[in-house]
Amino acid sequence: MADRADRPGEGGGPDEPGAPPPPRPLDAIDQDILRMLQADGRASIRSVAERVHVSRANAYARINRLVEDGVIRGFGARVDHERAGHGTSAYITLKIVQNSWRTVRAQLRQLPGASHIALVGGDFDVLLLVHTPDNRALRELVLSRLQAIPEVLSTRTLLVFETEDLEPQG
């Protein structure tokens, strides 16, 4: 999959239908708000305002702008997949048919346990992170689901032994 940058829309960039407009520049207060919300997505507007030294109305408006601009894509919980019943995690690399990214991405989104999908450059085209209950479920996902996608030319599975989410530095 060479020359992705030369093909409009292949990278899921701003020319793709439904993509938000380019975000406005972020100042130091916006950056502080982002760090705070990454560390605690449940922080109140009041606590955000106090920590970054702005009014509650200003903090509220800034957070809304960050959401509207697509800088903040949503708020969610960080899950311990093992405790949630998905004790096996793996990164799976895929080589795919040239110009099939959108088709493959749509099918990967439907996979049970798919958690992250990236179009990349290098020796393979796609990097997929999955969480499954066990190795048997992982095997089934790779052999029966992934390799059944016609545009997938090959896969390589990298079993994850341990992970650590890095906290934002600020």
Side-chain angles (χ1 to χ4, degrees), residues 142-161:
V142 172
L143 297 180
S144 298
R145 301 286 299 269
L146 278 177
Q147 293 182 358
I149 298 172
E151 297 85 1
V152 172
L153 301 173
S154 66
T155 65
R156 175 175 279 164
T157 303
L158 308 166
L159 195 59
V160 174
F161 295 129

Side-chain angles (χ1 to χ4, degrees), residues 77-142:
R78 291 192 310 250
V79 175
D80 181 318
H81 294 284
E82 190 168 352
R83 288 180 175 251
H86 289 98
T88 298
S89 296
Y91 285 99
I92 304 169
T93 66
L94 295 88
K95 288 186 182 181
I96 62 174
V97 172
Q98 191 166 356
N99 296 321
S100 66
W101 165 239
R102 285 190 198 95
T103 302
V104 171
R105 178 179 57 190
Q107 294 176 74
L108 297 178
R109 285 178 176 154
Q110 303 303 312
L111 291 175
S115 143
H116 185 85
I117 305 166
L119 178 67
V120 298
D123 292 336
F124 50 88
D125 304 307
V126 178
L127 184 62
L128 171 67
L129 174 60
V130 297
H131 306 285
T132 62
D134 52 34
N135 285 353
R136 178 170 288 172
L138 176 61
R139 179 182 182 276
E140 179 69 20
L141 184 126
V142 172

Side-chain angles (χ1 to χ4, degrees), residues 6-96:
D6 297 333
R7 294 194 306 267
E10 276 295 335
D15 57 344
E16 191 163 305
R24 292 167 264 204
L26 303 181
D27 63 16
I29 293 172
D30 292 330
Q31 295 289 350
D32 288 344
I33 289 171
L34 288 175
R35 276 191 290 278
M36 270 192 74
L37 292 176
Q38 283 178 298
D40 180 7
R42 294 172 29 154
S44 68
I45 296 292
R46 181 181 188 163
S47 67
V48 169
E50 288 172 359
R51 293 261 317 264
V52 299
H53 309 292
V54 297
S55 69
R56 282 185 286 191
N58 188 321
Y60 183 80
R62 283 174 177 269
I63 292 170
N64 278 344
R65 189 191 80 231
L66 291 167
V67 170
E68 288 170 6
D69 285 353
V71 176
I72 295 176
R73 298 181 307 185
F75 299 87
R78 291 192 310 250
V79 175
D80 181 318
H81 294 284
E82 190 168 352
R83 288 180 175 251
H86 289 98
T88 298
S89 296
Y91 285 99
I92 304 169
T93 66
L94 295 88
K95 288 186 182 181
I96 62 174

